[in-house]
Amino acid sequence: MRINSFLFCFLISALGWSQANVIFKDRNYFEAQNEAREKNKPLVVMFYANWCEHCKKMKNTVLQDTDVVLFYAQNYITVAIDAESDAGSALKQKFKNDCKVRSYPTFAYFSSKEVYWGGFSGEMKKESFIDEGTKLLQTENQLPQLKAAFEANVNNPEACLKYIASIRKAGFDATSITQRYLKTVPKENLFTELNWRIVANGINMVEAPEFQWIIDYQKEFGQAANPQRVEKKIIFTVQDNLRSAADALDTLNYRKKRVFVEKIQWRKTDSLLYKYDTQLYASVQDWKRYQQVTLEKTDTFATKDANQLIENASVYLNYIQQPDALRKAITWVDKAIALSENAEKHLVKAKLYLKLKDRTQALQAAETAKKWSEQMGWSSSESDTIIKEIKAAKL
């Protein structure tokens, strides 16, 4: 009975402790910040979104782990903020010069006086999450000190790399920092593993002159680091620059970046140009440029991509009128069918022929679609509808 009573008391005590020490609760930021000042403890803000699966996973696992709770309850004041709420949007605006919240979750660490120490974005495992919090308790790892160390000795590669890493984690571009350091490095001393890491982490704009260095000295950097790492850096930088402009429908910025990418003259980057050219021009409905790009480059860069071939053909079906262009689209459909046949592709072909007013070929393609569906045991209703439409069309 005594043992049972002891266990009962222990469990009640532990339950009370855990309830009192839940970390990253949704609460008013300014209340949390006042608590940080009063207790002279640093503050950690978790920016999350309700739809974010990584946020949910961390909340349900890592942030409930006993070791994590103990560490953060002892060393920090914590607060969680729905980043897409009015309060969250206001807080992101408040700290826009300290850190950028571009993905979720984002954890931002501040001193008790609201000085930004550092942070990171993305889901983390228990050990890494505690390690990040531990490192940022040490002055030498905090952003103000990293900046001061770099400013005191701009030609120190270790100080530069640490500063760049912290700036990048905060969501900012580190090009200007990297350029200041590289100006202190003679060309004969440039090609080292450490300098490659600085360039790889600090240069992320295709228009930066130093990105052209990576292209021009790909062999030398490859010998200092690793040829595959250099190649991946080039591809990633091009992809990231083109995608961000294309996703934002920023045609002006896209065309500016496109000029620099086109100068590389490498099949892998040319393929990325084709991919994002077609994406952007379709999104902004610039069918003239879309047609120009696809007619010139589809047979080079998409001949083995059935999805891209059908996507191009479908755009032509809906938006392009020139007969020669439509006939070219039919050849893309034939290539897509050869790669992986299905009824939908035959129906796209039938519709293209119908648009060309070729009843015979249109009917043949639609009937092939119907036959294919029946052989697979699938409904042929769509094929039947198209067949009726073709037969009834006044061409």
Side-chain angles (χ1 to χ4, degrees), residues 308-367:
Q308 185 67 57
L309 291 167
I310 288 297
E311 182 178 327
N312 291 357
S314 297
V315 169
Y316 274 49
L317 175 63
N318 292 317
Y319 300 105
I320 305 300
Q321 305 303 324
Q322 292 88 337
D324 288 345
L326 295 173
R327 292 188 186 95
K328 185 63 177 177
I330 290 171
T331 70
W332 297 335
V333 177
D334 285 335
K335 289 179 180 179
I337 290 171
L339 290 168
S340 57
E341 186 176 8
N342 61 36
E344 288 75 18
K345 291 169 186 171
H346 286 291
L347 289 176
V348 171
K349 184 176 178 180
K351 292 174 185 178
L352 283 165
Y353 273 122
L354 182 58
K355 190 170 183 176
L356 284 167
K357 299 182 179 181
D358 188 333
R359 190 194 307 271
T360 302
Q361 294 288 353
L363 192 58
Q364 181 179 329
E367 288 174 342

Side-chain angles (χ1 to χ4, degrees), residues 369-384:
K370 175 180 172 67
K371 181 179 179 181
W372 199 93
S373 295
E374 289 173 343
Q375 287 176 343
M376 297 297 293
W378 297 344
S379 170
S380 62
S381 59
E382 187 176 359
S383 301
D384 292 333

Side-chain angles (χ1 to χ4, degrees), residues 3-288:
I3 294 176
N4 289 340
S5 297
F6 173 78
L7 287 174
F8 178 77
C9 292
F10 174 79
L11 290 171
I12 292 297
S13 175
L15 179 61
W17 181 90
S18 64
Q19 288 177 338
N21 291 276
V22 174
I23 56 173
F24 295 101
K25 294 185 294 185
D26 284 78
R27 57 189 294 205
N28 182 281
Y29 165 78
F30 297 100
E31 291 178 0
Q33 207 277 320
N34 286 335
E35 183 182 352
R37 284 181 182 272
E38 291 170 2
K39 295 182 178 179
N40 194 28
K41 293 176 72 172
L43 174 70
V44 192
V45 182
M46 176 188 184
F47 291 95
Y48 73 90
N50 288 320
W51 50 263
C52 170
E53 293 301 322
H54 297 290
C55 303
K56 293 175 185 176
K57 186 175 179 181
M58 279 201 74
K59 282 185 174 185
N60 293 329
T61 56
V62 174
L63 301 188
Q64 294 186 28
D65 180 88
T66 303
D67 292 335
V68 172
V69 171
L70 279 170
F71 173 80
Y72 276 91
Q74 180 179 354
N75 293 287
Y76 291 97
I77 302 299
T78 63
V79 58
I81 301 288
D82 178 355
E84 298 186 344
S85 67
D86 290 343
S89 297
L91 204 60
K92 287 190 291 184
Q93 181 67 18
K94 174 181 171 67
F95 293 124
K96 67 178 182 179
N97 294 326
D98 297 307
C99 61
K100 300 285 188 183
V101 181
R102 292 176 174 166
S103 60
Y104 306 118
T106 289
F107 293 87
Y109 293 69
F110 298 89
S111 73
S112 61
K113 296 181 179 179
E114 247 181 358
V115 175
Y116 180 74
W117 281 358
F120 56 89
S121 296
E123 181 185 335
M124 270 201 174
K125 295 191 179 297
K126 162 188 170 178
E127 293 78 12
S128 299
F129 190 53
I130 293 176
D131 185 54
E132 287 290 336
T134 302
K135 287 191 296 185
L136 285 170
L137 288 172
Q138 301 166 11
T139 305
E140 63 268 23
N141 295 323
Q142 296 164 7
L143 184 57
Q145 183 58 35
L146 294 174
K147 180 180 180 181
F150 173 73
E151 296 288 353
N153 193 0
V154 175
N155 64 349
N156 183 314
E158 288 85 2
C160 179
L161 186 58
K162 288 180 180 179
Y163 185 32
I164 287 172
S166 187
I167 287 291
R168 291 289 308 282
K169 280 186 174 183
F172 293 103
D173 179 64
T175 300
S176 61
I177 299 166
T178 311
Q179 289 173 331
R180 286 182 63 191
Y181 165 75
L182 290 174
K183 287 179 180 178
T184 71
V185 183
K187 183 179 175 181
E188 60 270 19
N189 297 335
L190 179 62
F191 305 112
T192 67
E193 163 69 17
L194 187 53
N195 282 337
W196 166 250
R197 290 170 63 194
I198 290 172
V199 171
N201 284 279
I203 301 300
N204 296 283
M205 300 295 174
V206 293
E207 60 267 34
E210 293 77 12
F211 183 69
Q212 188 60 46
W213 289 8
I214 301 175
I215 305 298
D216 294 342
Y217 299 112
Q218 187 172 348
K219 180 180 178 181
E220 289 82 354
F221 277 123
Q223 290 172 342
N226 177 290
Q228 287 73 34
R229 286 168 61 190
V230 179
E231 182 175 308
K232 286 181 180 179
K233 168 63 181 177
I234 295 170
I235 293 172
F236 175 81
T237 304
V238 168
Q239 184 171 5
D240 188 56
N241 278 244
L242 294 178
R243 181 181 58 226
S244 60
D247 288 348
L249 305 184
D250 186 350
T251 55
L252 185 63
N253 192 35
Y254 182 86
R255 288 170 190 166
K256 182 178 75 171
K257 291 179 179 296
R258 194 187 189 288
V259 170
F260 292 95
V261 176
E262 198 168 25
K263 289 179 181 177
I264 298 173
Q265 295 186 339
W266 184 29
R267 182 180 173 85
K268 291 184 179 180
T269 52
D270 288 344
S271 177
L272 289 172
L273 271 177
Y274 169 77
K275 174 183 176 180
Y276 290 108
D277 279 353
T278 54
Q279 175 188 320
L280 176 63
Y281 298 146
S283 297
V284 299
Q285 298 190 347
D286 186 341
W287 304 124
K288 182 177 179 181

